[in-house]
Amino acid sequence: MNPGKALISPAWRLAERAPLRARNTFGVQAHADLLLEVRDAAALPELFTNAALRDGPVLVLGGGSNLLFAADPPGVVLSPCGQDIRILDDGRGSNDDTVLVRAEAGVEWHAFVLWTLGHGLAGLENLALIPGTVGAAPIQNIGAYGVEAGERIHAVEAFDRNTGAIVKLSGADCGFAYRDSRFKREPGRWIITAVTFQLSRSADLRLGYAGITEALAQTGITTPTASQVAEAVCRVRRSKLPDPAVLGNAGSFFKNPIVAADLAAQLRQAEPQLPVFPGADDHSRKLSAAWLIDACGWKGHREGDAGVSDAHALVLVNHGQATGAQLLALARRIAASVSERFGVMLEPEPRVIGADW
């Protein structure tokens, strides 16, 4: 292939020296030596008989909303592009109203949430307006406003690079945890091709998370539908998080840290305003990373075009021409200041490409 040229088949497209700036929501400049767009997942086993794919590094890129390019990615960048959505089981012949919906990995996440709501299905309304694709959702186990995707995932179809076959994993086999999954813990092994969600025709709504009840109350809604909850979530998210199309960002950059209950109690005694949430057990607690960062004075901070949102301390932003390396350096300084003041280590939510955290 000549530079900039592409090879095309009905199932895939391969391009050389492909720009990635429009493929990551931070909007940082990066290039892929080879970019492989896969329209039909059935082609993956044959494609991976090629040595460059079988033996070399492969970065799976969805919407680019959960990564930071600190440098150009090595090897091949693979983008699953399947767009099919279908109901596998409408639940009408069973005693409950459970509905199974399968979506291919390339489907845009928010569009999929709207599709489910448009078909009268509840379960994903709290996850509205999260950027990214369906295929990326299980990797990070995306979550918002008291709901995690893993709770709704029935099965994940993925190409296993270890065996060269496409397999189906049950939700239980995916090892979901807070912003974590088997796919994240086994980097390089899995290429998610489709996800099946277990949804419902009756709304079992979660309204207790801060901001949702207030947003509904402002409209006078006391018994909301799933669609009305999604609308409220969108209003809250838009009020707090910048639009990546306007200001480059990857949403929340840091995870809320999980600490020992004793340490949380000590910090709360010294800082009574510190939000503390239950952990996975009686011995752990979850702290607000946004509060810790804000307390260290970072909200609205700017260094050249790399900065922190003035609306939400968790959000790093690209004001135009920041490089990934500059954003990473800023993130490291933020984490170091939190560690120095509170003795709490912050970890990034996005995957950092081309550098270690």
Side-chain angles (χ1 to χ4, degrees):
M1 289 176 60
N2 295 322
K5 298 296 183 180
L7 291 176
I8 301 174
S9 89
W12 51 266
R13 177 181 182 273
L14 181 67
E16 281 189 339
R17 197 58 186 164
L20 299 176
R21 183 167 189 167
R23 293 175 179 264
N24 72 97
T25 59
F26 261 123
V28 299
Q29 190 65 263
H31 288 83
D33 287 339
L34 291 173
L35 173 66
L36 177 62
E37 297 175 320
V38 179
R39 302 181 183 91
D40 184 355
L44 285 170
E46 182 177 356
L47 284 168
F48 271 80
T49 62
N50 181 281
L53 286 167
R54 184 184 66 243
D55 304 324
V58 176
L59 171 67
V60 181
L61 180 63
S65 61
N66 196 47
L67 55 75
L68 173 64
F69 285 115
D72 286 346
V76 179
V77 173
L78 188 151
S79 177
C81 298
Q83 295 292 314
D84 183 63
I85 306 174
R86 65 183 63 186
I87 293 177
L88 299 181
D89 184 346
D90 66 7
R92 297 188 188 279
S94 61
N95 294 326
D96 60 26
D97 58 2
T98 297
V99 178
L100 297 181
V101 181
R102 178 185 182 272
E104 289 189 313
V107 175
E108 194 265 327
W109 175 259
H110 182 59
F112 175 62
V113 173
L114 295 181
W115 187 97
T116 64
L117 293 168
H119 283 73
L121 303 177
L124 301 179
E125 55 277 353
N126 291 46
L127 305 180
L129 209 62
I130 294 178
T133 60
V134 166
I139 299 172
Q140 182 74 0
N141 187 20
I142 60 173
Y145 303 106
V147 175
E148 292 183 342
E151 301 175 62
R152 312 299 192 218
I153 290 176
H154 176 75
V156 173
E157 297 166 45
F159 176 73
D160 183 356
R161 293 183 67 190
N162 286 0
T163 65
I166 294 176
V167 300
K168 180 181 285 189
L169 303 173
S170 70
D173 289 335
C174 294
F176 291 122
Y178 173 65
R179 301 297 183 271
D180 199 12
S181 69
R182 177 179 185 176
F183 311 107
K184 191 172 183 179
R185 294 190 295 272
E186 299 176 358
R189 177 176 178 180
W190 304 98
I191 298 172
I192 293 175
T193 59
V195 185
T196 299
F197 296 85
Q198 184 171 302
L199 305 176
S200 176
R201 294 191 186 279
S202 61
D204 181 17
L205 303 177
R206 294 190 191 175
L207 308 176
Y209 204 93
I212 303 303
T213 303
E214 293 84 349
L216 290 167
Q218 290 173 1
T219 61
I221 298 173
T222 56
T223 55
T225 64
S227 291
Q228 288 171 330
V229 172
E231 291 168 2
V233 167
C234 290
R235 289 196 299 274
V236 174
R237 289 185 67 88
R238 289 188 177 111
S239 71
K240 293 182 176 182
L241 302 174
D243 183 350
V246 178
L247 187 62
N249 72 92
S252 298
F253 192 87
F254 294 100
K255 300 177 185 179
N256 287 323
I258 307 296
V259 302
D262 290 346
L263 175 57
Q266 294 172 16
L267 291 171
R268 188 67 176 273
Q269 185 174 11
E271 303 282 354
Q273 302 303 313
L274 170 64
V276 177
F277 307 99
D281 52 46
D282 292 339
H283 304 291
S284 65
R285 298 290 185 270
K286 184 191 296 184
L287 306 182
S288 168
W291 190 94
L292 296 170
I293 294 167
D294 195 9
C296 291
W298 289 101
K299 184 187 289 187
H301 180 81
R302 180 169 177 174
E303 300 174 359
D305 276 354
V308 180
S309 169
D310 57 7
H312 201 307
L314 270 185
V315 181
L316 269 64
V317 295
N318 178 5
H319 288 281
Q321 299 300 319
T323 66
Q326 290 169 336
L327 287 160
L328 178 60
L330 174 58
R332 286 170 172 164
R333 286 193 290 275
I334 292 170
S337 71
V338 169
S339 176
E340 181 178 359
R341 177 169 172 180
F342 297 107
V344 174
M345 301 299 296
L346 295 181
E347 296 181 3
E349 278 198 26
R351 182 179 176 186
V352 178
I353 306 299
D356 295 326
W357 170 243

